[in-house]
Amino acid sequence: MPPKKQFSRDDVVRSAFEVVQQVGIDQGLKVLTARRVAERLGASTAPVYSYFESMAELSREVVKNARALYLEYISRSYTDQPLLNMGVGTVLFAREQPELFLRSMFFEKDEIRDIARTLQAAFQKSVARDPRLAGLSRGQIETLVSQMWIFTQGLAALVCFDLLGKMSLESIVDTLSAGAEAFIDAARKEAYGKQDRRQRHG
């Protein structure tokens, strides 16, 4: 009789993640049962309960994996611009992982806030190094970051629902770049307009 296959904790988490990843977007973590995970593993439910006291505990690990995958997407180097890379990663995540992108179950309010803070801090650091933005106030930079965040999320949602066709990486980069240029131009015009008014009244 061949020895029973041994499964690690990572094997269980990976299988649970795959179960949730592949179900319809209306199902959520409701489908995450020990039986489904065991079927994915090709085993009994014993490995599941040997590592996790409850399915709630396993669900939390799945959430962590989903968040880690998203952060991996936005950390990749698609271009030579860190700010643009984050936007591209978000849209690609929506294109390639639509269930995960759409499911708020993966990103509870606190999770979303944490991710948003992380991204906005990184955006602002990247923006601060952009010579095109010299002379912009902190408030203008924060507005620019918010505009890009909204634009990126909107594009990601359209791509997720396949409303723009299968956008290539090049198309995604071009679209986000065009949006960024428009926001930057508007911010620069506003900044220069304020400077001119101060000079005229100075």
Side-chain angles (χ1 to χ4, degrees):
M1 185 181 212
K4 291 179 70 173
K5 185 175 180 181
Q6 300 296 311
F7 296 96
S8 68
R9 188 177 189 278
D10 286 343
D11 291 331
V12 174
V13 173
R14 188 180 308 110
S15 293
F17 183 68
E18 290 172 355
V19 167
V20 177
Q21 191 177 27
Q22 293 179 3
V23 300
I25 60 175
D26 59 333
Q27 294 297 304
L29 288 173
K30 297 175 186 175
V31 302
L32 191 59
T33 63
R35 181 178 60 80
R36 285 179 181 268
V37 176
E39 288 174 355
R40 186 77 187 177
L41 276 172
S44 69
T45 58
V48 178
Y49 289 115
S50 66
Y51 292 109
F52 297 94
E53 294 183 1
S54 67
M55 292 307 296
E57 183 184 352
L58 178 55
S59 295
R60 287 192 289 272
E61 288 301 311
V62 172
V63 170
K64 288 180 183 178
N65 272 25
R67 182 183 180 188
L69 181 60
Y70 176 54
L71 293 176
E72 178 191 328
Y73 266 82
I74 65 174
S75 299
R76 297 174 187 168
S77 295
Y78 306 99
T79 72
D80 60 357
Q81 300 177 52
L83 177 61
L84 185 58
N85 289 338
M86 293 176 197
V88 173
T90 296
V91 178
L92 286 179
F93 182 75
R95 187 188 74 179
E96 297 171 7
Q97 307 289 339
E99 288 83 8
L100 302 190
F101 177 78
L102 287 172
R103 288 310 303 171
S104 60
M105 63 176 185
F106 282 104
F107 305 122
E108 300 293 339
K109 287 183 179 179
D110 289 342
E111 290 276 327
I112 292 173
R113 290 192 190 101
D114 287 345
I115 291 174
R117 289 192 192 104
T118 299
L119 287 177
Q120 288 183 337
F123 281 168
Q124 287 174 334
K125 286 182 181 178
S126 179
V127 166
R129 295 193 297 268
D130 192 327
R132 295 173 299 175
L133 305 181
L136 295 188
S137 68
R138 181 176 178 179
Q140 288 170 322
I141 290 177
E142 288 176 352
T143 297
L144 177 62
V145 169
S146 296
Q147 289 172 330
M148 280 304 300
W149 172 259
I150 293 168
F151 183 75
T152 298
Q153 292 297 319
L155 179 61
L158 293 173
V159 169
C160 178
F161 285 107
D162 200 19
L163 296 178
L164 299 177
K166 295 295 182 183
M167 290 188 75
S168 65
L169 173 60
E170 182 179 3
S171 295
I172 292 170
V173 171
D174 289 345
T175 301
L176 289 175
S177 295
E181 288 298 329
F183 292 132
I184 290 171
D185 286 346
R188 285 167 59 89
K189 286 177 182 177
E190 180 186 1
Y192 293 148
K194 288 181 178 179
Q195 290 176 5
D196 289 342
R197 287 192 292 274
R198 281 197 298 267
Q199 289 173 358
R200 285 198 300 270
H201 293 90

